[in-house]
Amino acid sequence: MFLLTSDGWLNTTHGIDRILPVQEIGWARDLDPELITGWTGGPTDTAPRVSDARYFVYGEAQDSAALRPAYLPHALMISHTPNAGDVYLLNPCVVTADGEWEAWYLAHWLPGAVRYRSFWDLMKGEYDSFRDEQ
């Protein structure tokens, strides 16, 4: 609903220049195939599977390296930062009971992604991080 109402957003953090307008949002595999190849090594994922017990940990205890690269081609890319590896993704492979897609902050400086239960949680996390830097 946020994306439909706002139709994008500028400068959410120092790493993300903008949340894309609705007409520019697309599947990561189409908008940035190199991102997929960089994490998966090719069209098929051969990385060891991360257990549910390790994957479904959110918040401070989360290990950003506990990523499932096989989800990347299915992710919806909702941000863009030219010449940077930081991106917001929505993951339809993990959906909450109330229909929210898991949200990722994938960054070049992380060993994986910081994952959130929803887009709302991602934006709240970014806001809290911004407030802590003030």
Side-chain angles (χ1 to χ4, degrees):
M1 185 59 92
F2 172 83
L3 292 175
L4 287 175
T5 302
S6 68
D7 199 23
W9 200 265
L10 294 176
N11 298 324
T12 57
T13 66
H14 63 277
I16 301 291
D17 275 359
R18 67 187 180 116
I19 295 177
L20 296 169
V22 173
Q23 71 271 11
E24 294 180 34
I25 290 172
W27 302 113
R29 66 181 172 260
D30 298 330
L31 296 180
D32 193 351
E34 293 83 23
L35 175 75
I36 308 306
T37 303
W39 281 97
T40 65
T44 59
D45 178 34
T46 58
R49 183 156 168 83
V50 174
S51 71
D52 284 354
R54 188 167 169 229
Y55 185 85
F56 290 107
V57 174
Y58 298 97
E60 295 287 325
Q62 181 183 138
D63 175 5
S64 65
L67 186 67
R68 292 180 172 166
Y71 292 165
L72 277 169
H74 309 288
L76 195 63
M77 185 176 286
I78 62 168
S79 73
H80 177 69
T81 303
N83 304 315
D86 298 18
V87 65
Y88 293 146
L89 301 166
L90 299 180
N91 175 17
C93 299
V94 177
V95 182
T96 66
D98 55 344
E100 295 288 330
W101 290 5
E102 184 180 59
W104 293 7
Y105 175 46
L106 187 71
H108 68 281
W109 50 270
L110 288 169
V114 178
R115 294 171 292 94
Y116 299 85
R117 288 181 181 92
S118 67
F119 177 73
W120 167 258
D121 289 343
L122 167 64
M123 289 294 98
K124 173 89 169 71
E126 293 290 68
Y127 174 76
D128 291 346
S129 176
F130 171 78
R131 298 273 303 167
D132 289 345
E133 291 177 9
Q134 298 299 315

